[in-house]
Amino acid sequence: MTAATVWTATASKSLNDIVCPTNVVAGMFFRVTTAGTTGSSEPAWTNIIGENVYDGTVVYQAYSSIFDDISKINPTSVIELFIVTLKTTLHGTNTGSPSSNNETNIFRFHAGTNHTNQNIEWAGKKYERFPIIAEGFAFQKGQLPRPKLIVSNAYGTISTLFDAVNLVTAGNDLTGATVARVRTLARFIDNANFSGNNPFGTPDPNAEFPREIYTIDRKATENREIVEFELAAVFDLAGIRIPKRQCTRNLFPAIGTFIQ
């Protein structure tokens, strides 16, 4: 693949040159399909694969390095990571793990399904291997997914966190915390994961699939062995009545009238 260059104004571009925005757009790159000269100001980039972007006399086609590479490598090279972010107003202040990330209210981990029993470092952050089962992320029959996280509670780790959180909001049990599912490829993870440099490729902190963002909707199970959470998409409005305000002609005179 041709090396990418950062966009600059009034620059000459040849066919198949690769350009990346000055501010990264979700790991997107842009291949020149019509040669020419870039404009005086940066174009409005897209995050839709295959869409055209017009820049001066140059035309680009958007693509993602992730999807460009996925067909060339073993699917087991997909790395699945999770980020759980607590809200201070709901959950108080908690130190994330591993502590070397030096973050507050952020927990980074992977489920151990990445063919490694070690912590994973990506984009300069460590993701702790934690025994969990993460399932139900697929969209089926037009319904929003409601994934489940089944987490080990063998040492009372999660129950201890519940105790701290419930002192701030009684009975909360992490409800409302944000869960981000992050997926990248082995070729893009940091060199720190290996004894030398990454043998599969070049680390890239921006090369990832589109993130999937959920919130913890409820705690389904808690015992000495496991804790099970049910997640919901941030725009999942199940149980919400719309509109919340009744529309009447007193407030909205146009209701019930039609223009011929």
Side-chain angles (χ1 to χ4, degrees):
M1 184 177 70
T2 304
T5 57
V6 178
W7 182 91
T8 54
T10 61
S12 177
K13 293 299 175 185
S14 301
L15 186 66
N16 293 323
D17 281 353
I18 305 299
V19 172
C20 60
T22 55
N23 292 313
V24 174
V25 180
M28 299 297 295
F29 291 85
F30 299 85
R31 180 181 287 110
V32 175
T33 55
T34 300
T37 302
T38 62
S40 58
S41 59
E42 193 165 1
W45 304 106
T46 181
N47 60 358
I48 300 175
I49 294 172
E51 189 169 280
N52 289 335
V53 173
Y54 299 88
D55 175 22
T57 58
V58 178
V59 180
Y60 309 100
Q61 186 176 64
Y63 79 99
S64 167
S65 59
I66 284 286
F67 290 95
D68 192 52
D69 287 322
I70 192 68
S71 62
K72 305 176 186 177
I73 64 173
N74 190 323
T76 59
S77 293
V78 175
I79 302 294
E80 183 180 49
L81 309 168
F82 294 93
I83 305 171
V84 176
T85 304
L86 278 55
K87 298 179 180 179
T88 303
T89 53
L90 284 177
H91 310 121
T93 301
N94 298 271
T95 302
S97 180
S99 58
S100 57
N101 280 330
N102 195 30
E103 296 176 302
T104 299
N105 280 6
I106 297 178
F107 297 79
R108 301 176 186 269
F109 59 92
H110 71 99
T113 57
N114 299 308
H115 305 279
T116 176
N117 290 323
Q118 306 299 320
N119 294 346
I120 289 177
E121 185 168 327
W122 185 65
K125 301 293 185 180
K126 290 185 178 179
Y127 292 77
E128 186 173 16
R129 183 187 183 277
F130 200 75
I132 70 169
I133 298 173
E135 59 187 13
F137 291 95
F139 285 80
Q140 296 182 356
K141 297 181 180 179
Q143 296 180 345
L144 291 173
R146 294 185 70 87
K148 293 181 180 179
L149 290 184
I150 303 174
V151 187
S152 171
N153 196 32
Y155 297 99
T157 304
I158 307 301
S159 292
T160 300
L161 181 58
F162 285 159
D163 290 341
V165 166
N166 292 343
L167 289 175
V168 179
T169 304
N172 176 269
D173 291 338
L174 293 182
T175 299
T178 300
V179 178
R181 184 191 187 206
V182 183
R183 291 177 298 158
T184 184
L185 302 179
R187 65 178 300 172
F188 297 125
I189 62 177
D190 296 4
N191 290 327
N193 296 285
F194 308 94
S195 56
N197 290 333
N198 185 332
F200 305 113
T202 303
D204 185 344
N206 301 307
E208 61 177 279
F209 293 89
R211 292 196 179 190
E212 299 174 46
I213 309 296
Y214 299 88
T215 60
I216 294 179
D217 188 55
R218 69 185 186 97
K219 178 187 72 177
T221 303
E222 179 186 2
N223 55 46
R224 293 182 179 181
E225 286 77 36
I226 65 163
V227 174
E228 179 180 332
F229 296 103
E230 184 174 311
L231 310 183
V234 293
F235 47 83
D236 188 342
L237 300 178
I240 302 297
R241 182 179 179 182
I242 298 178
K244 289 190 173 182
R245 184 179 183 184
Q246 185 176 9
C247 297
T248 65
R249 296 196 67 177
N250 291 335
L251 297 175
F252 304 96
I255 290 178
T257 60
F258 301 90
I259 299 176
Q260 298 295 330

